Structure formats: C-alpha cells, structure tokens
Amino acid sequence: MHHMASNREGEPVPEPGKERKLIGDRGDFFLNRVQGEAGVNISACYQCERCTNACPVSHYMDIKPHQAMRYIQLGWREELLKSSTIWVCLSCEMCTTYCPNEVDVAETINHLRNMAVHSSITPKDKSLAIFHQTFLEVLITSGKVNEFRLMSAYYSKPNILKEKMKEGTLKEEILLGMALLRKGRLKLYTPRSRAIKELQKADNQIRGEIV
Ligand code: SF4
Ligand code: SF4
C-alpha cells in the first residue's frame, strides 16, 4: 500500500513532480449530477476493485472501472471524459454483476460516454472515439456488428490507418480484437438482423428526425 509523504505538521504533501489535485474541483456537483442522471448510487462504492477484476478489457483502460467510480466521487470530470476507458468499455456488465454494493458501473460508464459526446472535451485518444462512432454506424446500417465490416469501415475513416501506424498502436488493437473474438464478443459472420428497422428508427429519433 502506498502512503503519501507528510510534512512536519503531518499534513500530506504531493510526491515530487506530481501536481497536487484538489478533491472535487466542483464540489459534489459532478457526483450528484452523474448519480441523478444515471440513477446509480456511486457514493456506495468502497473501492474493492471487484469491477475491475471482472472487466475483460480493463487492461486497455487508462482509468480502471473502480478508479472511474472514485474519480466521480472526487469530481474529476475532465479526466474521465477524456479517458480511453469510456470508449474501450464494451457495456458487457460484468462489473455491475460483480459489485457487492450494486453500483451499476456499466451504466455509469455509458452515461459518461454520452456526456463526453455532448461536451466540448477532446478525447485523449481520438481514434477510439471514432472507432466507437464507426461501431454505431455499422450497427445502424447492418443491424449487428461484423468485425470485418467494422474494421474496414474504421480503417477507411480519414487518417485512421496512418495515425495507427505512426502511434504504433495497430498491433495493440489487433490483439484487443483477437481477445474479443476469443471471448465470443465479435462474430465472424453476422446475418442482417431483423431488428435493423427498429435500430434505424431509434437512430432517426435520436437525431430528432420525424419517423
Ligand atoms: S461493462 Fe465495461 S467496464 Fe464493465 S466489465 Fe464490461 S467492459 Fe468492463
Ligand atoms: S465492485 Fe462496486 S464497490 Fe467495488 S470498486 Fe467496483 S463499483 Fe466500487
């Protein structure tokens, strides 16, 4: 367990080179807002980390699921809305299932993603946000997601492939894709879903179109 250094008065001091961060730069405003809007009792989280241990993709997240709950309690909005976490999350709900306090972590992360979309905050990893957007586009046009269709749609987005090669993250993403495939989360062949009409209708409604 890591202990923060303290000065002669016994007050905690930040580690050298690390900026001291104030708790709740907006007081409880952010916590109350997320709890109210998502309907999740985030205050109940006591950092047992079961959610993170249950998450199949936590390895790819910069802020782990249990940390995300803590960040909300502390009011660290910007860090969360910029994070890769909200775009990596698969909404598989393993975290929620394993939480002993019935904190709906999956719903909370889903809510943060929606907040990020409606905010002016630029994601730290823009390509992940584009990946997510592409995922939704493929879902809307074909009803389900076939990973080959998804990957080709994704890599045909402007500059994505070039960026990936430059950052050297292409290999990491292929590994993530393989891990998901093994877990059966991505299907090699996906027949066009009968639900497609419903999805398109919902998408039109979200966009404010009259259907
Ligand atoms: S819903 Fe998201 S955070 Fe929760 S276990 Fe699944 S991928 Fe991880
Ligand atoms: S499992 Fe529940 S209580 Fe434990 S860290 Fe995750 S959200 Fe918090």
Side-chain angles (χ1 to χ4, degrees):
M1 177 96 180
H2 174 79
H3 291 283
M4 197 183 240
S6 54
N7 63 15
R8 259 182 284 166
E9 280 76 45
E11 291 161 349
V13 292
E15 286 172 56
K18 281 203 179 163
E19 201 188 324
R20 186 170 174 201
K21 253 180 96 38
L22 294 177
I23 291 177
D25 42 5
R26 295 174 184 226
D28 280 346
F29 173 78
F30 187 61
L31 171 66
N32 290 338
R33 183 180 163 193
V34 178
Q35 291 201 130
E37 288 176 359
V40 179
N41 186 11
I42 297 155
S43 310
C45 170
Y46 55 30
Q47 295 293 291
C48 70
E49 297 187 29
R50 280 194 211 173
C51 47
T52 296
N53 292 333
C55 175
V57 287
S58 64
H59 173 69
Y60 298 95
M61 296 173 170
D62 50 357
I63 300 172
K64 310 297 176 198
H66 73 285
Q67 292 172 327
M69 299 307 107
R70 189 74 187 125
Y71 274 38
I72 296 172
Q73 291 173 345
L74 296 174
W76 295 352
R77 173 179 172 271
E78 276 75 11
E79 286 82 350
L80 282 165
L81 299 193
K82 262 189 211 157
S83 71
S84 70
T85 303
I86 57 175
W87 302 106
V88 168
C89 172
L90 305 163
S91 301
C92 71
E93 298 184 1
M94 291 296 280
C95 47
T96 302
T97 308
Y98 281 92
C99 176
N101 291 324
E102 297 187 352
V103 178
D104 194 340
V105 182
E107 180 54 35
T108 307
I109 293 179
N110 189 38
H111 193 73
L112 292 173
R113 190 160 48 223
N114 288 336
M115 279 180 145
V117 170
H118 293 107
S119 77
S120 53
I121 290 178
T122 315
K124 215 168 7 180
D125 187 347
K126 229 176 175 173
S127 55
L128 264 173
I130 295 174
F131 183 84
H132 196 263
Q133 192 192 11
T134 313
F135 183 93
L136 290 178
E137 282 168 14
V138 174
L139 184 69
I140 297 302
T141 49
S142 60
K144 276 187 184 175
V145 178
N146 166 313
E147 98 271 18
F148 291 125
R149 203 179 291 167
L150 175 63
M151 286 303 169
S152 60
Y154 177 53
Y155 288 124
S156 65
K157 294 276 176 193
N159 294 328
I160 283 293
L161 201 54
K162 212 169 71 191
E163 282 288 312
K164 295 277 129 200
M165 304 295 272
K166 207 170 72 195
E167 291 167 3
T169 53
L170 191 63
K171 192 173 153 228
E172 178 111 323
E173 281 186 22
I174 291 170
L175 289 175
L176 172 63
M178 295 304 286
L180 297 178
L181 192 64
R182 271 199 302 273
K183 284 187 189 290
R185 301 220 177 274
L186 290 176
K187 297 273 174 282
L188 281 175
Y189 170 71
T190 319
R192 266 175 81 91
S193 163
R194 265 189 244 136
I196 187 164
K197 280 214 170 78
E198 293 298 314
L199 280 165
Q200 279 167 347
K201 196 171 147 196
D203 183 52
N204 289 341
Q205 278 168 342
I206 290 165
R207 287 166 200 272
E209 287 172 22
I210 296 167
V211 286

